[in-house]
Coordinates of all heavy atoms in Angstrom, one line a residue:
E322 N 24.0 15.3 -27.5 CA 23.2 14.1 -27.6 C 22.6 13.5 -26.3 O 22.0 12.5 -26.3 CB 24.1 13.0 -28.3 CG 25.3 12.6 -27.5 CD 26.5 13.5 -27.7 OE1 26.3 14.6 -28.4 OE2 27.6 13.2 -27.2
D323 N 22.9 14.2 -25.2 CA 22.5 13.7 -23.9 C 20.9 13.8 -23.8 O 20.3 14.8 -24.2 CB 23.1 14.6 -22.8 CG 22.8 14.0 -21.4 OD1 21.6 14.2 -20.9 OD2 23.7 13.3 -20.9
Q324 N 20.3 12.7 -23.4 CA 18.8 12.6 -23.4 C 18.3 12.7 -21.9 O 17.1 12.4 -21.7 CB 18.4 11.3 -24.0 CG 18.7 11.2 -25.5 CD 17.9 12.2 -26.3 OE1 16.6 12.2 -26.2 NE2 18.5 13.0 -27.1
T325 N 19.0 13.2 -21.0 CA 18.6 13.2 -19.6 C 17.3 14.1 -19.4 O 16.3 13.7 -18.8 CB 19.7 13.7 -18.7 OG1 20.8 12.8 -18.8 CG2 19.2 13.8 -17.3
H326 N 17.4 15.3 -20.0 CA 16.3 16.2 -19.9 C 15.0 15.7 -20.5 O 13.9 15.7 -19.9 CB 16.6 17.6 -20.5 CG 15.6 18.6 -20.3 ND1 14.8 19.1 -21.4 CD2 15.2 19.3 -19.2 CE1 14.0 20.0 -20.9 NE2 14.2 20.2 -19.6
E327 N 15.1 15.1 -21.7 CA 14.0 14.5 -22.4 C 13.4 13.4 -21.6 O 12.2 13.2 -21.5 CB 14.4 14.1 -23.8 CG 14.6 15.3 -24.8 CD 16.1 15.8 -24.7 OE1 16.8 15.5 -23.7 OE2 16.5 16.4 -25.7
T328 N 14.3 12.5 -21.1 CA 13.9 11.3 -20.4 C 13.2 11.7 -19.1 O 12.1 11.1 -18.8 CB 15.1 10.4 -20.0 OG1 15.8 10.0 -21.2 CG2 14.7 9.2 -19.2
F329 N 13.7 12.7 -18.4 CA 13.0 13.1 -17.2 C 11.6 13.6 -17.5 O 10.6 13.2 -16.8 CB 13.8 14.2 -16.5 CG 13.1 14.9 -15.4 CD1 13.0 14.3 -14.2 CD2 12.6 16.2 -15.6 CE1 12.4 14.9 -13.1 CE2 11.9 16.8 -14.5 CZ 11.8 16.2 -13.3
W330 N 11.4 14.5 -18.4 CA 10.1 15.0 -18.7 C 9.2 14.0 -19.3 O 8.0 14.0 -19.0 CB 10.2 16.3 -19.6 CG 10.5 17.5 -18.7 CD1 11.7 18.1 -18.6 CD2 9.6 18.2 -17.9 NE1 11.6 19.2 -17.8 CE2 10.3 19.3 -17.3 CE3 8.2 18.0 -17.6 CZ2 9.7 20.1 -16.4 CZ3 7.6 18.9 -16.8 CH2 8.4 20.0 -16.2
R331 N 9.7 13.2 -20.2 CA 8.8 12.2 -20.8 C 8.3 11.2 -19.8 O 7.1 10.9 -19.8 CB 9.6 11.4 -21.9 CG 8.8 10.4 -22.7 CD 9.7 9.7 -23.7 NE 10.4 10.6 -24.6 CZ 11.7 10.7 -24.6 NH1 12.4 9.9 -23.8 NH2 12.3 11.5 -25.5
Q332 N 9.1 10.7 -18.9 CA 8.7 9.8 -17.9 C 7.7 10.4 -16.9 O 6.8 9.8 -16.4 CB 9.9 9.1 -17.2 CG 10.7 8.3 -18.1 CD 11.9 7.7 -17.5 OE1 12.5 6.8 -18.0 NE2 12.3 8.2 -16.3
M333 N 8.0 11.7 -16.5 CA 7.2 12.3 -15.5 C 5.8 12.6 -16.0 O 4.8 12.4 -15.3 CB 7.9 13.6 -15.0 CG 7.2 14.2 -13.8 SD 8.0 15.6 -13.0 CE 8.0 16.8 -14.3
L334 N 5.7 13.1 -17.2 CA 4.4 13.4 -17.8 C 3.6 12.1 -18.1 O 2.4 12.1 -17.9 CB 4.6 14.2 -19.1 CG 5.1 15.6 -18.9 CD1 5.3 16.3 -20.3 CD2 4.2 16.5 -18.0
R335 N 4.3 11.1 -18.5 CA 3.6 9.8 -18.7 C 3.0 9.3 -17.4 O 1.9 8.8 -17.3 CB 4.5 8.8 -19.3 CG 3.8 7.4 -19.6 CD 4.8 6.4 -20.2 NE 5.2 6.9 -21.5 CZ 6.5 7.1 -21.8 NH1 7.5 6.9 -20.9 NH2 6.8 7.5 -23.0
W336 N 3.8 9.4 -16.3 CA 3.3 9.1 -15.0 C 2.2 9.9 -14.5 O 1.2 9.4 -13.9 CB 4.5 9.2 -14.0 CG 4.1 9.1 -12.5 CD1 3.3 8.2 -11.9 CD2 4.5 10.0 -11.5 NE1 3.2 8.5 -10.6 CE2 3.9 9.6 -10.3 CE3 5.4 11.1 -11.5 CZ2 4.1 10.3 -9.1 CZ3 5.6 11.8 -10.3 CH2 5.0 11.4 -9.1
L337 N 2.2 11.2 -14.8 CA 1.2 12.1 -14.4 C -0.2 11.8 -15.0 O -1.2 12.0 -14.3 CB 1.6 13.6 -14.8 CG 0.6 14.7 -14.4 CD1 0.5 14.8 -12.9 CD2 1.1 16.0 -14.9
V338 N -0.2 11.3 -16.2 CA -1.5 11.1 -16.9 C -1.8 9.6 -17.0 O -3.0 9.3 -17.4 CB -1.4 11.7 -18.3 CG1 -1.1 13.2 -18.3 CG2 -0.4 11.0 -19.2
S339 N -0.9 8.7 -16.6 CA -1.2 7.3 -16.9 C -2.3 6.8 -16.0 O -3.0 5.8 -16.3 CB 0.1 6.5 -16.6 OG 0.5 6.6 -15.3
E340 N -2.5 7.3 -14.8 CA -3.5 6.8 -13.9 C -4.8 7.6 -14.0 O -5.7 7.4 -13.1 CB -3.0 6.9 -12.4 CG -1.8 6.1 -12.2 CD -1.3 6.1 -10.7 OE1 -2.1 6.6 -9.9 OE2 -0.2 5.6 -10.4
A341 N -5.0 8.4 -14.9 CA -6.3 9.1 -15.1 C -7.4 8.1 -15.5 O -7.3 7.4 -16.4 CB -6.2 10.2 -16.2
P342 N -8.4 8.0 -14.7 CA -9.5 7.0 -14.9 C -10.3 7.3 -16.2 O -10.4 8.4 -16.6 CB -10.3 7.1 -13.7 CG -10.1 8.5 -13.2 CD -8.7 8.9 -13.5
Q343 N -10.8 6.2 -16.7 CA -11.6 6.3 -17.9 C -13.1 6.4 -17.5 O -13.4 6.5 -16.3 CB -11.4 5.1 -18.8 CG -10.0 5.0 -19.3 CD -9.5 6.1 -20.1 OE1 -10.2 6.7 -20.9 NE2 -8.3 6.6 -19.7
E344 N -14.0 6.4 -18.5 CA -15.4 6.5 -18.2 C -16.0 5.3 -17.4 O -16.9 5.4 -16.7 CB -16.2 6.7 -19.5 CG -15.9 8.1 -20.1 CD -16.5 8.2 -21.5 OE1 -16.7 7.1 -22.1 OE2 -16.7 9.3 -22.0
L345 N -15.3 4.1 -17.7 CA -15.7 2.9 -17.0 C -14.4 2.3 -16.4 O -13.5 2.0 -17.1 CB -16.3 1.9 -17.9 CG -16.6 0.5 -17.3 CD1 -17.5 0.6 -16.2 CD2 -17.1 -0.4 -18.4
T346 N -14.3 2.3 -15.1 CA -13.1 1.7 -14.4 C -13.5 0.6 -13.5 O -14.6 0.6 -12.9 CB -12.4 2.8 -13.6 OG1 -13.3 3.3 -12.6 CG2 -11.9 3.9 -14.5
L347 N -12.7 -0.4 -13.4 CA -12.9 -1.6 -12.6 C -11.9 -1.7 -11.5 O -10.7 -1.5 -11.7 CB -12.9 -2.9 -13.4 CG -13.8 -2.9 -14.7 CD1 -13.7 -4.2 -15.4 CD2 -15.3 -2.7 -14.2
T348 N -12.3 -2.1 -10.3 CA -11.4 -2.4 -9.2 C -11.8 -3.7 -8.5 O -13.1 -4.0 -8.5 CB -11.4 -1.3 -8.2 OG1 -12.7 -1.0 -7.7 CG2 -10.8 0.0 -8.8
A349 N -10.9 -4.4 -8.0 CA -11.2 -5.7 -7.3 C -10.9 -5.5 -5.8 O -10.1 -4.7 -5.4 CB -10.3 -6.8 -7.8
S350 N -11.6 -6.3 -5.0 CA -11.4 -6.2 -3.6 C -10.1 -6.6 -3.1 O -9.7 -6.3 -2.0 CB -12.5 -7.0 -2.9 OG -12.5 -8.4 -3.3
S351 N -9.3 -7.4 -3.9 CA -8.0 -7.9 -3.5 C -7.2 -8.0 -4.7 O -7.7 -8.2 -5.9 CB -8.1 -9.2 -2.8 OG -6.8 -9.7 -2.5
D352 N -5.8 -7.8 -4.5 CA -4.9 -7.9 -5.7 C -4.8 -9.4 -6.1 O -4.4 -9.7 -7.2 CB -3.5 -7.4 -5.3 CG -3.6 -5.9 -5.1 OD1 -4.5 -5.3 -5.6 OD2 -2.7 -5.4 -4.3
R353 N -5.0 -10.3 -5.2 CA -4.9 -11.8 -5.5 C -6.2 -12.5 -5.3 O -6.9 -12.2 -4.2 CB -3.8 -12.4 -4.5 CG -2.4 -11.8 -4.7 CD -1.5 -12.3 -3.6 NE -2.0 -12.0 -2.3 CZ -1.8 -10.8 -1.7 NH1 -1.2 -9.9 -2.3 NH2 -2.4 -10.6 -0.5
A354 N -6.6 -13.3 -6.2 CA -7.8 -14.0 -6.1 C -7.5 -15.4 -5.5 O -6.6 -16.1 -6.0 CB -8.4 -14.2 -7.5
A355 N -8.2 -15.7 -4.4 CA -8.0 -17.0 -3.7 C -9.1 -18.0 -4.1 O -10.3 -17.6 -4.2 CB -7.9 -16.8 -2.2
L356 N -8.7 -19.2 -4.3 CA -9.7 -20.3 -4.6 C -10.8 -20.4 -3.5 O -10.4 -20.4 -2.3 CB -9.0 -21.6 -4.8 CG -8.2 -21.8 -6.1 CD1 -7.5 -23.1 -6.1 CD2 -9.0 -21.6 -7.3
N357 N -12.0 -20.5 -4.0 CA -13.2 -20.6 -3.1 C -13.3 -19.5 -2.1 O -14.0 -19.6 -1.0 CB -13.0 -22.0 -2.3 CG -12.9 -23.1 -3.3 OD1 -13.7 -23.2 -4.2 ND2 -12.0 -24.1 -3.0
Q358 N -12.8 -18.3 -2.4 CA -12.9 -17.1 -1.6 C -13.6 -16.1 -2.4 O -13.2 -15.8 -3.6 CB -11.6 -16.6 -1.1 CG -10.9 -17.5 -0.1 CD -11.6 -17.7 1.2 OE1 -12.3 -16.8 1.6 NE2 -11.5 -18.9 1.8
P359 N -14.7 -15.4 -2.0 CA -15.4 -14.5 -2.8 C -14.6 -13.3 -3.1 O -13.8 -12.8 -2.3 CB -16.6 -14.1 -1.9 CG -16.2 -14.4 -0.5 CD -15.3 -15.6 -0.6
M360 N -14.7 -12.8 -4.4 CA -14.1 -11.6 -4.9 C -15.2 -10.6 -5.2 O -16.2 -10.9 -5.8 CB -13.2 -11.9 -6.1 CG -11.9 -12.6 -5.8 SD -10.7 -11.5 -5.0 CE -10.5 -10.3 -6.3
R361 N -14.9 -9.3 -4.8 CA -15.9 -8.2 -5.1 C -15.3 -7.4 -6.2 O -14.2 -6.9 -6.1 CB -16.2 -7.5 -3.9 CG -17.2 -6.3 -4.0 CD -17.5 -5.7 -2.7 NE -18.4 -4.5 -2.8 CZ -18.0 -3.3 -2.8 NH1 -16.7 -3.0 -2.6 NH2 -18.9 -2.3 -2.9
I362 N -16.0 -7.2 -7.3 CA -15.6 -6.4 -8.4 C -16.5 -5.1 -8.4 O -17.7 -5.3 -8.4 CB -15.7 -7.1 -9.8 CG1 -14.9 -8.4 -9.7 CG2 -15.2 -6.3 -10.9 CD1 -13.5 -8.3 -9.4
V363 N -15.9 -4.0 -8.4 CA -16.7 -2.7 -8.4 C -16.4 -2.0 -9.7 O -15.3 -1.8 -10.2 CB -16.2 -1.8 -7.2 CG1 -17.0 -0.5 -7.3 CG2 -16.6 -2.5 -5.9
A364 N -17.5 -1.5 -10.4 CA -17.4 -0.8 -11.6 C -17.9 0.7 -11.3 O -18.9 0.9 -10.7 CB -18.3 -1.4 -12.7
D365 N -17.1 1.6 -11.8 CA -17.4 3.0 -11.6 C -17.8 3.5 -13.0 O -17.0 3.5 -14.0 CB -16.2 3.8 -11.1 CG -16.6 5.3 -10.9 OD1 -17.2 5.6 -9.8 OD2 -16.3 6.1 -11.7
V366 N -19.1 3.9 -13.2 CA -19.6 4.3 -14.5 C -19.9 5.8 -14.6 O -20.6 6.3 -13.7 CB -20.9 3.5 -14.8 CG1 -21.5 3.8 -16.2 CG2 -20.7 2.0 -14.7
R367 N -19.4 6.4 -15.6 CA -19.6 7.9 -15.8 C -19.9 8.2 -17.2 O -19.6 7.4 -18.1 CB -18.3 8.6 -15.3 CG -18.1 8.4 -13.9 CD -16.8 9.1 -13.4 NE -16.6 8.9 -12.0 CZ -16.9 9.8 -11.0 NH1 -17.5 10.9 -11.3 NH2 -16.8 9.5 -9.7
D368 N -20.6 9.3 -17.5 CA -20.9 9.7 -18.8 C -19.8 10.4 -19.5 O -18.6 10.5 -18.9 CB -22.2 10.6 -18.8 CG -22.0 11.8 -18.0 OD1 -20.9 12.2 -17.7 OD2 -23.0 12.5 -17.6
D369 N -20.0 11.0 -20.7 CA -18.9 11.6 -21.4 C -18.4 12.9 -20.7 O -17.3 13.4 -21.1 CB -19.3 11.9 -22.8 CG -20.6 12.6 -22.9 OD1 -21.2 13.0 -21.9 OD2 -21.1 12.9 -24.1
A370 N -19.1 13.4 -19.8 CA -18.7 14.6 -19.0 C -18.1 14.1 -17.6 O -17.9 14.9 -16.8 CB -19.8 15.6 -18.8
Y371 N -18.0 12.8 -17.5 CA -17.4 12.2 -16.3 C -18.3 12.5 -15.0 O -17.8 12.6 -13.9 CB -16.0 12.6 -16.1 CG -15.1 12.0 -17.1 CD1 -14.8 12.7 -18.3 CD2 -14.5 10.7 -16.9 CE1 -14.0 12.1 -19.2 CE2 -13.7 10.2 -17.8 CZ -13.5 10.8 -19.0 OH -12.7 10.3 -20.0
R372 N -19.6 12.5 -15.3 CA -20.6 12.6 -14.2 C -21.1 11.2 -13.9 O -21.3 10.4 -14.8 CB -21.7 13.5 -14.5 CG -21.4 15.0 -14.7 CD -22.7 15.8 -14.9 NE -23.3 15.4 -16.2 CZ -23.1 16.1 -17.3 NH1 -22.4 17.2 -17.3 NH2 -23.7 15.7 -18.4
P373 N -21.2 10.8 -12.6 CA -21.7 9.4 -12.3 C -23.0 9.1 -12.9 O -23.9 10.0 -13.0 CB -21.8 9.4 -10.7 CG -20.9 10.6 -10.3 CD -21.0 11.6 -11.4
V374 N -23.2 7.9 -13.3 CA -24.4 7.4 -13.9 C -25.0 6.3 -13.0 O -24.4 5.3 -12.8 CB -24.2 6.9 -15.4 CG1 -25.5 6.4 -15.9 CG2 -23.6 7.9 -16.2
N375 N -26.3 6.6 -12.6 CA -26.9 5.6 -11.6 C -27.9 4.7 -12.3 O -28.4 3.8 -11.7 CB -27.6 6.3 -10.5 CG -26.5 7.0 -9.6 OD1 -25.4 6.6 -9.5 ND2 -27.0 8.1 -8.9
N376 N -28.3 5.0 -13.5 CA -29.3 4.2 -14.2 C -28.8 3.4 -15.4 O -29.5 3.1 -16.3 CB -30.4 5.1 -14.7 CG -30.0 6.2 -15.6 OD1 -28.7 6.4 -15.8 ND2 -30.9 6.9 -16.3
A377 N -27.5 3.0 -15.3 CA -26.9 2.3 -16.4 C -27.3 0.8 -16.3 O -27.6 0.3 -15.2 CB -25.4 2.5 -16.4
R378 N -27.2 0.1 -17.4 CA -27.4 -1.4 -17.4 C -26.0 -2.0 -17.5 O -25.3 -1.9 -18.5 CB -28.3 -1.8 -18.6 CG -28.5 -3.3 -18.6 CD -29.4 -3.7 -19.8 NE -29.6 -5.1 -19.9 CZ -28.8 -5.9 -20.6 NH1 -27.9 -5.4 -21.3 NH2 -29.0 -7.2 -20.6

Side-chain angles (χ1 to χ4, degrees):
E322 64 275 8
D323 188 281
Q324 294 292 307
T325 300
H326 184 252
E327 290 88 341
T328 300
F329 170 77
W330 276 103
R331 186 183 302 117
Q332 293 178 166
M333 188 171 65
L334 292 177
R335 183 180 294 120
W336 166 49
L337 181 63
V338 303
S339 62
E340 298 183 9
Q343 302 300 316
E344 295 169 336
L345 173 60
T346 58
L347 305 179
T348 55
S350 58
S351 175
D352 295 335
R353 297 170 303 277
L356 288 177
N357 303 316
Q358 297 293 329
M360 285 288 297
R361 180 172 177 261
I362 306 299
V363 176
D365 186 82
V366 182
R367 297 177 180 261
D368 59 17
D369 53 1
Y371 290 90
R372 295 183 294 259
V374 178
N375 294 333
N376 59 351
R378 180 176 177 270

